[in-house]
Amino acid sequence: MSRPLIILGLESSCDDTAAAVVSLERAGKAEILSSVVQGQTALHARFGGVVPEIAARAHAEKLDLCVREALEQAGIPLARLDAVAVTAGPGLIGGVIAGVMCAKGIAAGAGLPLIGVNHLAGHALTPRLTDQVEYPYLMLLVSGGHCQFLIVNGADDFLRLGGTIDDAPGEAFDKVARLLGLPQPGGPQVEQAARGGDAARFRFPRPLLDRPGCDLSFSGLKTALLRSRDAIIREKSGLTRQDRADLCAGFQSAVCDVLTEKTRRALIAYLARNPACPVLAVAGGVAANAVIRAGLETVVADMGGRFVAPPLALCTDNAAMIAYAGAERLALGHRDDMTLAARPRWPLDQTSPVMLGSGKKGAKA
Ligand code: KG4
Ligand code: ZN
């Protein structure tokens, strides 16, 4: 029996510096031997968003420390690795360059193959790492920087069915939190406030539901909430706790309705191509939202499918997903060389039209 591939992965495309070691057996079974993530939330907190220059410097300072810790925790020396995989895009370019340069240094120094990984492919292949999901399956990426539906046919074969034309949903949650004076990251705060709220008091729009297809839009929702907030403030010169809860509940319910209806359409489009029992997998911080998650689960169950949600630590940015995607690429015989370039934009599906919009967390590809 041949021994498993052991891959070191590096991730630095946004505001998390991460390194991980993952093993992949020929039969497809993967194991995370270590996964180190150093967030930068505190560094950016007073600026109200990720500052690309600050992020890039922090990545350059922390990457080698994360790598050392990941190797130590895994108990794997450099000489035992089969390759170094690194996020080569899409993302904030300074951070991506820091990761690619670090990976090149390790690969050249240790004489290892170098593998460039698309960050979105890392998210999209995570259900295979955590749940050994077979190809093909439908993927919904919903985070602060991404929002798209993908049919995942293989490690290098993605079909984009649709995505956001402006903000990502997590970005909208964060903006709404800011408008209501709640702390960042806004998603969990808005969800918590919404628990005591009446979702029917404000009827926010359900953007793009009147148009066919799987594209989404979230920026208008945030503007609608702003108008309702200002109307209350004009009337009563301030917001009560109940007003805030009702605004949050109304907003969350609108996001949930849009995501579940677009997911239903994406499942129909998926089934037209792959008539067997569909699997819908989710990734991204917004998948932590219990109301949205329950909505997605219901729509998948109604259509006779299976819902897969990897543990939250692997839904959000991490390097285990990059190491795993690198291992799949290596197993297919792909490898890069020292000409590997960092790419700010890198659509997974090269055949679909380029998406619009670029949020606080960088290009959405
Ligand atoms: O995947 P992630 O950790 O980072 C990237 O965006 O790459 O996602 C973070 C986003 C933030 O915008 C955060 O507000 C949102 O996910 N989020 C949530 C919840 N938890 C995190 N949004 C809604 N409800 C939640 N419970
Ligand atoms: Zn991500």
Side-chain angles (χ1 to χ4, degrees):
M1 200 183 83
S2 56
R3 70 171 188 83
L5 294 172
I6 299 187
I7 311 291
L8 169 69
L10 272 64
E11 157 63 35
S12 56
S13 63
C14 187
D15 58 350
D16 290 303
T17 314
V21 180
V22 166
S23 72
L24 176 64
E25 288 173 15
R26 304 278 162 191
K29 193 173 170 308
E31 193 184 345
I32 299 172
L33 304 181
S34 65
S35 180
V36 175
V37 181
Q38 283 248 358
Q40 302 178 350
T41 311
L43 285 180
H44 304 286
R46 68 192 172 99
F47 301 104
V50 178
V51 183
E53 263 306 309
I54 294 176
R57 275 169 198 274
H59 287 308
E61 280 168 17
K62 292 278 161 59
L63 269 163
D64 56 340
L65 302 175
C66 288
V67 167
R68 196 194 314 160
E69 200 178 326
L71 292 171
E72 273 172 17
Q73 280 185 17
I76 297 285
L78 270 181
R80 192 53 193 80
L81 293 173
D82 291 290
V84 183
V86 60
T87 300
L92 300 173
I93 193 63
V96 180
I97 290 173
V100 169
M101 296 308 288
C102 181
K104 282 183 180 176
I106 295 169
L112 292 168
L114 174 70
I115 304 168
V117 171
N118 183 309
H119 176 86
L120 301 174
H123 280 304
L125 299 183
T126 300
R128 292 175 54 72
L129 164 65
T130 56
D131 292 80
Q132 282 192 276
V133 172
E134 302 276 346
Y135 297 121
Y137 55 94
L138 180 65
M139 185 78 209
L140 169 60
L141 296 182
V142 267
S143 71
H146 322 294
C147 184
Q148 51 186 299
F149 291 103
L150 294 163
I151 296 180
V152 186
N153 289 311
D156 229 354
D157 184 355
F158 303 91
L159 178 71
R160 189 169 67 76
L161 297 176
T164 182
I165 60 166
D166 42 55
D167 290 354
E171 198 174 351
F173 269 96
D174 293 340
K175 286 179 180 170
V176 160
R178 227 168 276 138
L179 291 175
L180 298 178
L182 298 169
Q184 298 292 312
Q189 301 287 334
V190 172
E191 179 176 13
Q192 201 189 342
R195 277 194 202 117
D198 171 10
R201 178 170 159 203
F202 301 98
R203 183 68 197 165
F204 293 126
R206 270 59 178 161
L208 295 192
L209 281 198
D210 53 340
R211 277 198 240 153
C214 301
D215 281 342
L216 309 106
S217 160
F218 295 100
S219 72
L221 249 179
K222 161 204 75 199
T223 314
L225 181 134
L226 173 65
R227 274 200 222 103
S228 301
R229 181 203 71 171
D230 288 349
I232 303 173
I233 293 175
R234 266 196 309 277
E235 199 186 311
K236 306 197 286 198
S237 6
L239 292 179
T240 63
R241 178 187 284 262
Q242 192 59 47
D243 293 332
R244 209 174 266 125
D246 294 346
L247 286 165
C248 286
F251 166 79
Q252 181 173 265
S253 154
V255 173
C256 183
D257 282 359
V258 170
L259 281 172
T260 49
E261 170 56 19
K262 294 287 174 168
T263 298
R264 196 183 62 79
R265 293 185 198 174
L267 280 164
I268 291 170
Y270 174 90
L271 281 167
R273 293 172 175 85
N274 308 278
C277 164
V279 172
L280 173 79
V282 288
V286 181
N289 185 293
V291 173
I292 293 174
R293 209 173 169 117
L296 295 175
E297 257 176 285
T298 305
V299 86
V300 181
D302 285 351
M303 295 183 72
R306 180 179 153 218
F307 181 70
V308 175
L312 194 60
L314 294 170
C315 273
T316 54
D317 287 352
N318 67 88
M321 67 179 190
I322 303 303
Y324 177 78
E328 281 218 26
R329 288 183 68 79
L330 186 69
L332 288 173
H334 296 297
R335 53 186 65 197
D336 292 285
D337 57 27
M338 290 297 151
T339 62
L340 175 68
R343 300 170 65 172
R345 281 190 181 257
W346 184 2
L348 268 183
D349 174 359
Q350 311 278 345
T351 58
S352 294
V354 172
M355 290 178 72
L356 303 171
S358 174
K360 71 175 165 57
K361 294 201 168 183
K364 292 190 186 69

